[in-house]
Amino acid sequence: MRSKELPEELRDRIVARHRSGQDYKKISAALKVPKSTVASIILEWKTFGTTRTLPRAGRPAKLSYRGRRALVRE
C-alpha cells in the first residue's frame, strides 16, 4: 500500500537543506523522512526543477483496491 504524498512545504525544506550542503542521512534524521524518500525528492527536483506535484500518467482508477475486493466478494 502506498503512503500519502508529502506536503510541498516539506519537499521545499528537503531541497533547501540539500542545497545548503547537508547529506541525505542528516536531512532524513532531521525531518523524520526515510532516506529513500529524500533521495527521490531531490532527484525529482534535479530532473524537473520543481517540488510541485506533477501530472501523473494514465487514467485514475474508478474503484479503489478495497472497492474492487468488495465487488469480487459479491
Side-chain angles (χ1 to χ4, degrees):
M1 186 171 152
R2 298 185 71 172
S3 62
K4 302 279 184 192
E5 65 185 37
L6 296 176
E8 191 175 342
E9 174 199 335
L10 181 58
R11 288 180 274 168
D12 287 336
R13 277 194 277 159
I14 289 171
V15 170
R17 285 175 181 258
H18 172 71
R19 291 179 80 183
S20 70
Q22 278 192 356
D23 60 347
Y24 293 179
K25 192 173 183 178
K26 287 182 182 173
I27 296 171
S28 170
L31 300 177
K32 294 182 178 68
V33 177
K35 199 166 34 168
S36 59
T37 304
V38 171
S40 64
I41 288 170
I42 292 170
L43 178 67
E44 186 177 346
W45 171 72
K46 284 180 179 178
T47 306
F48 299 109
T50 183
T51 56
R52 294 183 58 200
T53 305
L54 297 172
R56 292 170 178 84
R59 178 179 174 159
K62 239 181 174 36
L63 291 175
S64 67
Y65 180 69
R66 285 181 62 175
R68 224 177 303 139
R69 281 181 28 226
L71 194 61
V72 168
R73 271 198 312 273
E74 279 185 27

